[in-house]
mmCIF file of all heavy atoms in Angstrom:
data_model
loop_
_atom_site.group_PDB
_atom_site.id
_atom_site.type_symbol
_atom_site.label_atom_id
_atom_site.label_comp_id
_atom_site.label_asym_id
_atom_site.label_seq_id
_atom_site.Cartn_x
_atom_site.Cartn_y
_atom_site.Cartn_z
ATOM 1 N N GLN Y 841 140.122 59.399 140.167
ATOM 2 C CA GLN Y 841 140.427 60.184 138.968
ATOM 3 C C GLN Y 841 141.686 61.023 139.155
ATOM 4 O O GLN Y 841 142.511 61.124 138.242
ATOM 5 C CB GLN Y 841 139.226 61.050 138.589
ATOM 6 C CG GLN Y 841 138.063 60.215 138.086
ATOM 7 C CD GLN Y 841 136.812 61.029 137.846
ATOM 8 O OE1 GLN Y 841 136.553 62.007 138.538
ATOM 9 N NE2 GLN Y 841 136.027 60.613 136.871
ATOM 10 N N CYS Y 842 141.858 61.609 140.324
ATOM 11 C CA CYS Y 842 143.080 62.386 140.597
ATOM 12 C C CYS Y 842 144.308 61.484 140.570
ATOM 13 O O CYS Y 842 145.353 61.873 140.031
ATOM 14 C CB CYS Y 842 142.987 63.090 141.946
ATOM 15 S SG CYS Y 842 141.955 64.548 141.957
ATOM 16 N N CYS Y 843 144.190 60.304 141.136
ATOM 17 C CA CYS Y 843 145.317 59.361 141.107
ATOM 18 C C CYS Y 843 145.695 59.039 139.670
ATOM 19 O O CYS Y 843 146.881 58.986 139.329
ATOM 20 C CB CYS Y 843 144.967 58.086 141.859
ATOM 21 S SG CYS Y 843 144.879 58.290 143.642
ATOM 22 N N GLN Y 844 144.704 58.833 138.824
ATOM 23 C CA GLN Y 844 144.973 58.545 137.418
ATOM 24 C C GLN Y 844 145.673 59.735 136.755
ATOM 25 O O GLN Y 844 146.644 59.561 136.024
ATOM 26 C CB GLN Y 844 143.669 58.209 136.682
ATOM 27 C CG GLN Y 844 143.813 57.991 135.203
ATOM 28 C CD GLN Y 844 144.606 56.746 134.840
ATOM 29 O OE1 GLN Y 844 144.816 55.868 135.661
ATOM 30 N NE2 GLN Y 844 145.034 56.660 133.600
ATOM 31 N N LEU Y 845 145.194 60.939 137.006
ATOM 32 C CA LEU Y 845 145.805 62.127 136.401
ATOM 33 C C LEU Y 845 147.235 62.328 136.877
ATOM 34 O O LEU Y 845 148.114 62.680 136.080
ATOM 35 C CB LEU Y 845 144.961 63.364 136.695
ATOM 36 C CG LEU Y 845 143.621 63.427 135.976
ATOM 37 C CD1 LEU Y 845 142.798 64.597 136.484
ATOM 38 C CD2 LEU Y 845 143.814 63.507 134.476
ATOM 39 N N VAL Y 846 147.471 62.093 138.158
ATOM 40 C CA VAL Y 846 148.838 62.217 138.673
ATOM 41 C C VAL Y 846 149.727 61.161 138.029
ATOM 42 O O VAL Y 846 150.859 61.442 137.623
ATOM 43 C CB VAL Y 846 148.866 62.107 140.212
ATOM 44 C CG1 VAL Y 846 150.287 61.959 140.726
ATOM 45 C CG2 VAL Y 846 148.190 63.320 140.842
ATOM 46 N N MET Y 847 149.209 59.940 137.879
ATOM 47 C CA MET Y 847 149.999 58.864 137.292
ATOM 48 C C MET Y 847 150.440 59.203 135.872
ATOM 49 O O MET Y 847 151.573 58.953 135.496
ATOM 50 C CB MET Y 847 149.203 57.558 137.278
ATOM 51 C CG MET Y 847 149.994 56.406 136.691
ATOM 52 S SD MET Y 847 149.050 54.893 136.494
ATOM 53 C CE MET Y 847 147.956 55.320 135.147
ATOM 54 N N VAL Y 848 149.561 59.791 135.088
ATOM 55 C CA VAL Y 848 149.899 60.065 133.689
ATOM 56 C C VAL Y 848 150.524 61.443 133.481
ATOM 57 O O VAL Y 848 150.905 61.786 132.369
ATOM 58 C CB VAL Y 848 148.675 59.898 132.755
ATOM 59 C CG1 VAL Y 848 148.127 58.496 132.834
ATOM 60 C CG2 VAL Y 848 147.609 60.937 133.052
ATOM 61 N N SER Y 849 150.664 62.210 134.535
ATOM 62 C CA SER Y 849 151.152 63.582 134.395
ATOM 63 C C SER Y 849 152.573 63.664 133.851
ATOM 64 O O SER Y 849 152.941 64.653 133.225
ATOM 65 C CB SER Y 849 151.060 64.331 135.725
ATOM 66 O OG SER Y 849 151.944 63.759 136.666
ATOM 67 N N ASP Y 850 153.367 62.627 134.072
ATOM 68 C CA ASP Y 850 154.729 62.641 133.532
ATOM 69 C C ASP Y 850 154.805 61.973 132.158
ATOM 70 O O ASP Y 850 155.886 61.756 131.623
ATOM 71 C CB ASP Y 850 155.706 61.973 134.501
ATOM 72 C CG ASP Y 850 155.415 60.504 134.739
ATOM 73 O OD1 ASP Y 850 154.420 59.972 134.194
ATOM 74 O OD2 ASP Y 850 156.181 59.871 135.494
ATOM 75 N N ARG Y 851 153.650 61.642 131.620
ATOM 76 C CA ARG Y 851 153.518 61.023 130.288
ATOM 77 C C ARG Y 851 154.187 59.656 130.201
ATOM 78 O O ARG Y 851 154.524 59.177 129.130
ATOM 79 C CB ARG Y 851 154.048 61.942 129.193
ATOM 80 C CG ARG Y 851 153.358 63.283 129.150
ATOM 81 C CD ARG Y 851 153.946 64.150 128.059
ATOM 82 N NE ARG Y 851 153.700 65.545 128.296
ATOM 83 C CZ ARG Y 851 152.632 66.218 127.898
ATOM 84 N NH1 ARG Y 851 151.688 65.608 127.266
ATOM 85 N NH2 ARG Y 851 152.523 67.496 128.145
ATOM 86 N N GLU Y 852 154.370 59.036 131.352
ATOM 87 C CA GLU Y 852 154.942 57.702 131.403
ATOM 88 C C GLU Y 852 154.081 56.857 132.330
ATOM 89 O O GLU Y 852 153.959 57.147 133.514
ATOM 90 C CB GLU Y 852 156.377 57.755 131.934
ATOM 91 C CG GLU Y 852 157.049 56.423 131.981
ATOM 92 C CD GLU Y 852 158.465 56.503 132.526
ATOM 93 O OE1 GLU Y 852 159.035 57.608 132.567
ATOM 94 O OE2 GLU Y 852 158.986 55.463 132.923
ATOM 95 N N VAL Y 853 153.469 55.821 131.772
ATOM 96 C CA VAL Y 853 152.612 54.943 132.558
ATOM 97 C C VAL Y 853 153.377 53.650 132.813
ATOM 98 O O VAL Y 853 153.806 52.981 131.881
ATOM 99 C CB VAL Y 853 151.293 54.651 131.814
ATOM 100 C CG1 VAL Y 853 150.439 53.671 132.592
ATOM 101 C CG2 VAL Y 853 150.529 55.947 131.563
ATOM 102 N N VAL Y 854 153.563 53.355 134.089
ATOM 103 C CA VAL Y 854 154.274 52.135 134.459
ATOM 104 C C VAL Y 854 153.367 51.256 135.315
ATOM 105 O O VAL Y 854 152.481 51.742 136.012
ATOM 106 C CB VAL Y 854 155.606 52.435 135.193
ATOM 107 C CG1 VAL Y 854 156.587 53.144 134.270
ATOM 108 C CG2 VAL Y 854 155.364 53.263 136.427
ATOM 109 N N LYS Y 855 153.590 49.965 135.237
ATOM 110 C CA LYS Y 855 152.727 48.982 135.892
ATOM 111 C C LYS Y 855 152.578 49.220 137.402
ATOM 112 O O LYS Y 855 151.461 49.142 137.915
ATOM 113 C CB LYS Y 855 153.239 47.565 135.596
ATOM 114 C CG LYS Y 855 152.268 46.493 135.977
ATOM 115 C CD LYS Y 855 151.042 46.560 135.093
ATOM 116 C CE LYS Y 855 150.110 45.402 135.386
ATOM 117 N NZ LYS Y 855 148.791 45.603 134.827
ATOM 118 N N PRO Y 856 153.660 49.510 138.144
ATOM 119 C CA PRO Y 856 153.468 49.742 139.591
ATOM 120 C C PRO Y 856 152.500 50.893 139.888
ATOM 121 O O PRO Y 856 151.724 50.815 140.844
ATOM 122 C CB PRO Y 856 154.878 50.055 140.096
ATOM 123 C CG PRO Y 856 155.787 49.373 139.126
ATOM 124 C CD PRO Y 856 155.084 49.504 137.795
ATOM 125 N N GLU Y 857 152.541 51.945 139.074
ATOM 126 C CA GLU Y 857 151.606 53.060 139.275
ATOM 127 C C GLU Y 857 150.185 52.632 138.936
ATOM 128 O O GLU Y 857 149.241 52.990 139.645
ATOM 129 C CB GLU Y 857 152.024 54.261 138.430
ATOM 130 C CG GLU Y 857 153.292 54.928 138.903
ATOM 131 C CD GLU Y 857 153.735 56.061 138.010
ATOM 132 O OE1 GLU Y 857 153.328 56.103 136.824
ATOM 133 O OE2 GLU Y 857 154.503 56.910 138.484
ATOM 134 N N GLN Y 858 150.018 51.885 137.852
ATOM 135 C CA GLN Y 858 148.690 51.385 137.499
ATOM 136 C C GLN Y 858 148.150 50.493 138.624
ATOM 137 O O GLN Y 858 146.972 50.595 138.987
ATOM 138 C CB GLN Y 858 148.737 50.581 136.203
ATOM 139 C CG GLN Y 858 148.958 51.431 134.970
ATOM 140 C CD GLN Y 858 149.093 50.582 133.722
ATOM 141 O OE1 GLN Y 858 149.820 49.589 133.714
ATOM 142 N NE2 GLN Y 858 148.387 50.975 132.678
ATOM 143 N N ASN Y 859 149.014 49.648 139.167
ATOM 144 C CA ASN Y 859 148.596 48.775 140.267
ATOM 145 C C ASN Y 859 148.167 49.579 141.482
ATOM 146 O O ASN Y 859 147.208 49.237 142.155
ATOM 147 C CB ASN Y 859 149.727 47.818 140.651
ATOM 148 C CG ASN Y 859 149.992 46.779 139.588
ATOM 149 O OD1 ASN Y 859 149.171 46.532 138.704
ATOM 150 N ND2 ASN Y 859 151.168 46.175 139.653
ATOM 151 N N ARG Y 860 148.886 50.670 141.754
ATOM 152 C CA ARG Y 860 148.540 51.506 142.915
ATOM 153 C C ARG Y 860 147.173 52.155 142.728
ATOM 154 O O ARG Y 860 146.374 52.207 143.663
ATOM 155 C CB ARG Y 860 149.621 52.560 143.149
ATOM 156 C CG ARG Y 860 149.352 53.466 144.334
ATOM 157 C CD ARG Y 860 149.174 52.703 145.608
ATOM 158 N NE ARG Y 860 150.430 52.098 145.980
ATOM 159 C CZ ARG Y 860 150.739 51.723 147.198
ATOM 160 N NH1 ARG Y 860 149.883 51.893 148.179
ATOM 161 N NH2 ARG Y 860 151.883 51.160 147.448
ATOM 162 N N VAL Y 861 146.879 52.631 141.528
ATOM 163 C CA VAL Y 861 145.556 53.210 141.267
ATOM 164 C C VAL Y 861 144.481 52.147 141.507
ATOM 165 O O VAL Y 861 143.442 52.423 142.117
ATOM 166 C CB VAL Y 861 145.463 53.794 139.838
ATOM 167 C CG1 VAL Y 861 144.037 54.215 139.509
ATOM 168 C CG2 VAL Y 861 146.415 54.976 139.679
ATOM 169 N N GLN Y 862 144.732 50.927 141.059
ATOM 170 C CA GLN Y 862 143.784 49.830 141.276
ATOM 171 C C GLN Y 862 143.597 49.559 142.771
ATOM 172 O O GLN Y 862 142.472 49.395 143.242
ATOM 173 C CB GLN Y 862 144.280 48.553 140.577
ATOM 174 C CG GLN Y 862 144.342 48.648 139.080
ATOM 175 C CD GLN Y 862 142.990 48.871 138.448
ATOM 176 O OE1 GLN Y 862 142.010 48.219 138.804
ATOM 177 N NE2 GLN Y 862 142.919 49.808 137.520
ATOM 178 N N GLN Y 863 144.698 49.514 143.520
ATOM 179 C CA GLN Y 863 144.631 49.262 144.958
ATOM 180 C C GLN Y 863 143.834 50.356 145.669
ATOM 181 O O GLN Y 863 143.042 50.074 146.572
ATOM 182 C CB GLN Y 863 146.035 49.184 145.555
ATOM 183 C CG GLN Y 863 146.821 47.993 145.127
ATOM 184 C CD GLN Y 863 148.298 48.108 145.530
ATOM 185 O OE1 GLN Y 863 148.769 49.167 145.942
ATOM 186 N NE2 GLN Y 863 149.026 47.010 145.399
ATOM 187 N N ILE Y 864 144.053 51.586 145.261
ATOM 188 C CA ILE Y 864 143.325 52.707 145.869
ATOM 189 C C ILE Y 864 141.845 52.603 145.554
ATOM 190 O O ILE Y 864 140.998 52.800 146.424
ATOM 191 C CB ILE Y 864 143.940 54.045 145.404
ATOM 192 C CG1 ILE Y 864 145.308 54.222 146.085
ATOM 193 C CG2 ILE Y 864 143.009 55.224 145.683
ATOM 194 C CD1 ILE Y 864 146.141 55.365 145.549
#
């Protein structure tokens, strides 16, 4: 959940970040 919040904190969701959350 923290990884998801950090990913969206800049209001820009990009595929590499989404992939990293999945990997984690």
